[in-house]
Amino acid sequence: MNTEIQSKNMPRYINPYFGGVLLGLLLLATFFITGRGLGASGAVKSAVVTTVDRVAHQHAEGSTFYSKFLTDNHSPMYSWMVFESLGIFLGGLISGVLFGRLKKLRTEHSPKITSKTRLIAAGIGGILFGFGSQLGRGCSSGAALSGTAAFSFGGLIVMLFMFGTGYLVAYFFRKLWI
Amino acid sequence: MGPLIPQGIITGEWDFVIALLLGIFFGFILEASGFSSSRNITGVFYGYNFVVLRVFLTAVVVTMIGLLYFNYMGWINLDMLYILPTYLTPMIVGAAIMGLGFVIGGFCPGTSYTGVAIGKLDAIVFTAGLFLGIFVFSEAYPLIEGFYNSDAMGRITISEFIGVSNEVITFGFVILALAAFWGTWLIEKRVRKTITEYKFD
């Protein structure tokens, strides 16, 4: 019953094809202005590099991975991706306020599972996604969307295998959603 | 004339302002399309909501056509665009791990930020997971560095790989997208009749 009441009060989303056209035009503008596409996972990487550098500076400097992103003149947080991702958060907030979806903290889950199960799954999913995004050279935004739209072969590979694997394993995790 | 920043038409000091503005539009479109909800997103894997496929493929096709048009009009130099380099096997493995994370976690990084913005606890936990996952990768990097850099194919495009023009690839994507929109519309209608756990507006 509760979900029914919620869905009746829930404001509608914009038409998906209209949203797609807007996203396509935004991505085109991004390529026109910056020469590169949009991204999302890069900001978290900057946060990881910054945290490790603060907590264990020598370890970070000695690592072939962290040292790639460390420079003497500024923090890794001072990057294009971090500001863009801050924008994603703000844009989501503006839309949430405008459509009345900004509410107190809550967990969205299927009636078949508890909030706790949902949160554990979200955590595991995040860990896998974060790890995979490094091997994939970007996530759904940077590699699959921006990569493919700029005709990158690697971008198309990430898109195909990300969604392909999703469909392959979806059956085993159906209790989480339906 | 474009791309503007690589050509020096807009100078570097505007970088972060532009980044923030483009990000705001990006986040707005993601949230307004319904991507702040994990159950909307995963509908694409179970057939009850194909909004992800619709937004994604429409955006890819619009950008591809736009880039070709801008190139034809001489407004952008396609050779100056950043083409994501291809590392075939690591990218396949990475994408497969992301696909698994997608189905279990219900978000991808960009969409989880918009979920955080409107107060979804599951999105906050997902984002914390991203941090942990990238941290584990970074610490394990010395062990997987060889694999990470294997199978390098450089900045190869789909067109170069197949041996046809960008125009043909774009046309192929348009046909594919239209077929997918029609096919998934039929599937969605059937699946929604049988699903009771999820209400649609």
Side-chain angles (χ1 to χ4, degrees):
Chain A
M1 274 314 277
N2 195 20
T3 50
E4 221 175 309
I5 295 161
Q6 270 177 3
S7 75
K8 269 178 194 159
N9 297 334
M10 200 188 289
R12 283 160 194 272
Y13 297 111
I14 61 172
N15 179 289
Y17 300 108
F18 178 62
V21 170
L22 288 182
L23 184 55
L25 293 176
L26 173 71
L27 188 54
L28 180 62
T30 307
F31 276 120
F32 180 69
I33 298 169
T34 70
R36 306 180 63 127
L38 298 159
S41 53
V44 180
K45 184 168 80 183
S46 291
V48 169
V49 174
T50 308
T51 308
V52 172
D53 187 41
R54 287 277 167 83
V55 175
H57 181 64
Q58 282 187 328
H59 170 65
E61 285 225 304
S63 149
T64 46
F65 186 78
Y66 297 115
S67 59
K68 279 197 285 188
F69 311 104
L70 292 171
T71 54
D72 288 333
N73 34 17
H74 58 76
S75 151
M77 290 309 275
Y78 207 62
S79 82
W80 201 91
M81 279 297 192
V82 171
F83 281 82
E84 188 235 13
S85 294
L86 195 64
I88 298 178
F89 175 83
L90 289 175
L93 191 66
I94 295 168
S95 171
V97 170
L98 224 62
F99 291 97
R101 284 189 285 267
L102 178 69
K103 290 174 200 150
K104 60 176 187 203
L105 281 183
R106 70 243 186 238
T107 305
E108 185 191 16
H109 60 87
S110 161
K112 281 187 182 159
I113 59 166
T114 60
S115 294
K116 195 179 155 197
T117 309
R118 167 67 190 124
L119 292 179
I120 293 168
I124 294 170
I127 292 170
L128 288 168
F129 218 119
F131 190 94
S133 70
Q134 297 310 298
L135 279 178
R137 269 78 178 175
C139 57
S140 356
S141 323
L145 177 63
S146 304
T148 308
F151 303 102
S152 158
F153 179 62
L156 179 68
I157 290 294
V158 170
M159 181 180 100
L160 291 178
F161 281 87
M162 182 193 296
F163 285 102
T165 309
Y167 280 106
L168 220 63
V169 299
Y171 178 80
F172 304 103
F173 299 101
R174 65 191 184 285
K175 286 271 161 55
L176 290 174
W177 307 107
I178 54 173
Chain B
M1 90 197 237
L4 301 179
I5 291 175
Q7 305 251 42
I9 295 169
I10 295 180
T11 51
E13 59 218 58
W14 287 96
D15 257 18
F16 293 152
V17 179
I18 290 166
L20 191 70
L21 285 175
L22 291 172
I24 287 174
F25 282 114
F26 190 24
F28 187 96
I29 296 166
L30 291 178
E31 208 288 326
S33 299
F35 294 168
S36 56
S37 156
S38 55
R39 296 192 77 199
N40 276 344
I41 293 174
T42 47
V44 74
F45 295 118
Y46 299 98
Y48 62 80
N49 192 345
F50 281 100
V51 60
V52 168
L53 179 136
R54 292 183 184 119
V55 174
F56 194 98
L57 283 183
T58 308
V60 167
V61 164
V62 167
T63 308
M64 279 182 165
I65 295 172
L67 284 175
L68 291 183
Y69 184 76
F70 275 34
N71 185 48
Y72 177 74
M73 299 299 282
W75 295 341
I76 197 168
N77 181 358
L78 283 190
D79 297 330
M80 287 184 78
L81 282 196
Y82 172 77
I83 305 291
L84 188 77
T86 302
Y87 297 81
L88 195 57
T89 321
M91 277 173 133
I92 289 175
V93 173
I97 296 171
M98 284 192 272
L100 188 63
F102 214 165
V103 171
I104 299 174
F107 285 112
C108 59
T111 56
S112 74
Y113 303 164
T114 67
V116 173
I118 66 159
K120 293 274 175 76
L121 204 54
D122 42 335
I124 295 173
V125 174
F126 183 91
T127 309
L130 287 179
F131 187 93
L132 202 57
I134 296 178
F135 175 70
V136 169
F137 177 88
S138 309
E139 289 299 319
Y141 185 73
L143 301 172
I144 44 182
E145 192 176 356
F147 176 67
Y148 178 78
N149 289 313
S150 66
D151 246 351
M153 295 168 72
R155 303 194 184 284
I156 186 173
T157 62
I158 305 166
S159 328
E160 286 163 354
F161 183 79
I162 301 177
V164 293
S165 68
N166 283 340
E167 282 79 1
V168 174
I169 296 298
T170 304
F171 184 71
F173 263 90
V174 172
I175 299 298
L176 181 106
L178 291 175
F181 295 153
W182 180 71
T184 54
W185 174 72
L186 291 178
I187 295 170
E188 199 179 71
K189 267 206 304 190
R190 287 181 69 173
V191 173
R192 284 192 177 194
K193 276 183 203 154
T194 61
I195 282 192
T196 51
E197 290 86 353
Y198 190 85
K199 297 286 175 198
F200 305 92
D201 54 358

